[in-house]
């Protein structure tokens, strides 16, 4: 079984959606090492935005320690067999081109692109092979569900 994990990051200028695709055994190896590093550092989870800005569980950490943790976790990812997924847009340009007003309207485009890449990379799998898509986004869940419904019937 293959699983893709995706997460978004955005501000008023840029919207990005990215993550990784890999087999279940690779994810198990990553998770084991990742959780060990999290436990060693006494935090509940790694949230990149909080770590880079020294917010939340990282508020008393000096920048050197926060950067060191980030590098350790990135090494875990780079030592495994992962396929990177990414899509992004310049928000003001997207709004102008598609005549939309809300920033969250860019999410379906980026999600669709990532899903199309997953489909492209998995076309040679047997019909019995399952592919899971996990998107860490409660704010955009309804937009994602709309897109999946549309893709299913088109």
């Amino acid at each position: 079984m293959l699983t893709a994990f995706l997460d978004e990051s955005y501000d008023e200028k840029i919207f990005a959606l990215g993550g990784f695709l890999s087999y279940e055994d690779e994810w198990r190896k990553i998770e084991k090492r990742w959780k060990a590093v999290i436990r060693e550092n006494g935090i509940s989870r790694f949230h990149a935005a909080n770590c880079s800005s020294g917010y939340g569980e990282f508020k008393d950490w000096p920048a050197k320690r926060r950067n060191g943790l980030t590098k350790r976790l990135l090494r875990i990812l780079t030592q495994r067999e992962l396929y990177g997924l990414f899509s992004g847009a310049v928000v003001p340009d997207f709004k102008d081109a598609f005549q939309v007003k809300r920033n969250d309207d860019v999410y379906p485009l980026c999600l669709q692109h990532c899903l199309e890449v997953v489909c492209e990379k998995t076309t040679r799998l047997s019909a019995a092979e399952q592919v899971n898509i996990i998107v860490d986004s409660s704010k955009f869940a309804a937009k994602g569900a709309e897109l999946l419904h549309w893709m299913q019937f088109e």
Side-chain angles (χ1 to χ4, degrees), residues 46-108:
F46 179 74
H47 190 275
N50 287 355
C51 186
S52 68
S53 64
Y55 182 76
E57 291 182 277
F58 306 98
K59 71 178 181 185
D60 296 325
W61 288 32
K64 186 174 181 176
R65 182 177 179 199
R66 296 192 320 263
N67 292 339
L69 173 63
T70 301
K71 287 178 183 177
R72 277 187 74 189
L73 293 172
L74 285 173
R75 266 194 304 276
I76 291 170
L77 297 176
T78 59
Q79 292 171 353
R80 303 302 332 156
E81 292 184 35
L82 298 169
Y83 184 82
L85 304 165
F86 174 78
S87 185
V90 177
V91 175
D93 293 349
F94 177 86
K95 287 175 165 180
D96 287 345
F98 292 97
Q99 299 300 303
V100 295
K101 294 183 176 155
R102 297 184 352 215
N103 288 355
D104 63 346
D105 287 325
V106 71
Y107 178 80

Side-chain angles (χ1 to χ4, degrees), residues 102 104-108 111 139-148:
R102 297 184 352 215
D104 63 346
D105 287 325
V106 71
Y107 178 80
L111 179 58
K139 179 177 180 177
F140 300 107
K143 290 280 187 185
E146 288 173 23
L147 174 68
L148 292 175

Side-chain angles (χ1 to χ4, degrees), residues 30-43:
I30 290 167
E31 184 177 27
K32 182 180 179 183
R33 291 184 60 206
W34 191 279
K35 284 183 175 181
V37 171
I38 297 301
R39 271 192 310 275
E40 285 172 24
N41 284 278
I43 54 174

